Amino acid sequence: MIGYYAHHQGAGHLTRMQSIAAVLDEPVWGLSSAPRPAGWTGGWTDLARDDEPWPEHVEDHDPTAHGVLHWVPRHHGGLARRAAQLTAWAADEQPRALVVDVSVEVAMLGRLSGVPTVVVAMPGRREDRAHRLAYDTADALLAPWPRGAHDLHWPDRWTDKAWFVGGLSRFDGREPTPAAGADDGGSPGPTVLLLWGAGGRSTTATDVQAAKDATPGWTWVERSPSVDGADDLWDDLQGADVVVSHAGQNAVAEIAAARRPAVIVAQPRPHAEQESTARRIDDWRIAVGLTAWPDAEAWPELLDLASTRGGHGWSRWSDGSGAQRVADHLAALHITPGSP
């Protein structure tokens, strides 16, 4: 059995877990503070939250343990219960490996319990002490992007054990279809699909309205994949002439699966995660990548540039086999007593 820890922030970690579990030929046990996904049939552990409520009597929570870790607040009962749940699960279930998506502390608890860990690597700057600890102790690093996208400055000890699987999406394997286009005898004009995620955003409704006002020939449709159904999202992607999206890994992977022209706009995240993705997409001319929401007057040219670049370049980011490639790597991962 494979364990899979999915962080509760946003919807992407759970989505990635489900995509991998769907093609893996062995049971997957989910662990998360987020609710169990609808339709999940594997084992599941509802982990205690370690971020609420705060104990009022503690003045200095020191959540980073003097800068060595990311989140271990002092005297937090939820953190203690969470650690006990994880170690008890490892002792009781004896998993073959634990995929950690993502938490330095969970990766360390798994490894301290003797469980081989596969740590999901993240875009951006990850050279801090805590990330080095998780990446160095991992048996493998799962990189859901193509080689060269975010690993150019990695040490050899990381690249040597990394699985560069490309973007992986719940829509991998589906056949994209051409958008209807503006001149279909009844369409009001080309369509922009504005795609938000569940992890929060800095772009305001005023920013969006200004972009709409600056592009009167375009019809803008907004939606959030965390609220609407997956099948509806695929249909919306297929119907869009240009997708405007945040630079979260799963949103980018889903746009790649749909092979849609896109403007990818980074939202503020720790470690410059989304900025790094947007820059690489733009550098490779896959789509238009921006590190911040642009001024309204820039939008007509940006949408035209995205249309010109088209959607074919996404094949460099994802070939549609990312989840299966992860499953193949996990099947081949055999850490036995005496292994280095």
Side-chain angles (χ1 to χ4, degrees):
M1 179 264 288
I2 297 289
Y4 198 112
Y5 169 79
H7 197 280
H8 65 272
Q9 181 69 27
H13 307 290
L14 287 169
T15 300
R16 186 154 48 208
M17 176 190 72
Q18 291 172 278
S19 298
I20 294 169
V23 296
L24 193 62
D25 289 331
E26 66 181 302
V28 176
W29 188 297
L31 306 101
S32 183
S33 310
R36 179 200 300 252
W40 181 262
T41 59
W44 186 264
T45 298
D46 286 307
L47 293 174
R49 292 289 292 260
D50 59 358
D51 55 353
E52 55 186 31
W54 287 102
E56 296 180 359
H57 65 282
V58 180
E59 294 184 2
D60 181 8
H61 299 288
D62 185 26
T64 68
H66 309 290
V68 178
L69 297 170
H70 283 157
W71 193 254
V72 283
R74 289 188 179 117
H75 301 296
H76 193 290
L79 179 69
R81 288 191 295 274
R82 179 186 183 87
Q85 286 178 285
L86 284 161
T87 53
W89 168 80
D92 294 342
E93 301 299 332
Q94 293 291 303
R96 192 167 65 81
L98 173 63
V99 180
V100 183
D101 186 3
V102 289
S103 165
V104 170
E105 293 73 32
V106 171
M108 294 312 303
L109 276 170
R111 189 63 187 87
L112 287 168
S113 299
V115 181
T117 59
V118 177
V119 172
V120 176
M122 299 291 283
R125 298 186 293 269
R126 305 288 171 170
E127 296 85 10
D128 59 280
R129 291 177 70 183
H131 274 109
R132 291 201 308 270
L133 181 63
Y135 287 18
D136 284 348
T137 56
D139 291 282
L141 296 175
L142 196 173
W145 61 72
R147 183 185 291 269
H150 301 297
D151 52 285
L152 295 179
H153 302 292
W154 277 12
D156 289 344
R157 66 182 184 276
W158 292 357
T159 54
D160 288 347
K161 61 182 176 182
W163 304 341
F164 296 103
V165 301
L168 55 96
S169 164
R170 54 185 154 171
F171 301 136
D172 285 346
R174 298 194 187 188
E175 186 66 31
T177 57
D183 188 17
D184 63 356
S187 172
T191 299
V192 172
L193 174 62
L194 180 54
L195 188 61
W196 299 117
R201 73 196 200 207
S202 62
T203 303
T204 66
T206 300
D207 295 330
V208 173
Q209 187 59 53
K212 293 179 180 179
D213 292 342
T215 54
W218 292 77
T219 299
W220 289 63
V221 177
E222 289 188 66
R223 65 161 294 150
S224 169
S226 66
V227 174
D228 300 304
D231 290 337
D232 291 338
L233 175 57
W234 177 255
D235 292 341
D236 285 350
L237 286 167
Q238 292 300 285
D241 295 283
V242 174
V243 180
V244 175
S245 173
H246 64 101
Q249 289 187 77
N250 282 274
V252 168
E254 288 170 351
I255 297 165
R259 300 294 192 258
R260 273 302 175 265
V263 180
I264 304 298
V265 185
Q267 297 291 298
R269 293 292 186 272
H271 309 284
E273 174 186 331
Q274 292 203 10
E275 291 93 331
S276 176
T277 298
R279 285 194 183 98
R280 181 60 65 223
I281 286 169
D282 195 69
D283 288 346
W284 286 358
R285 299 297 188 265
I286 292 173
V288 178
L290 305 172
T291 57
W293 189 267
D295 294 334
E297 58 267 23
W299 276 106
E301 183 177 349
L302 290 170
L303 295 178
D304 287 344
L305 178 57
S307 297
T308 299
R309 290 187 177 175
H312 61 277
W314 286 114
S315 60
R316 182 175 182 181
W317 197 264
S318 171
D319 64 1
S321 301
Q324 184 59 57
R325 198 170 290 117
V326 176
D328 292 343
H329 279 296
L330 286 171
L333 181 68
H334 295 290
I335 308 297
T336 58
S339 297

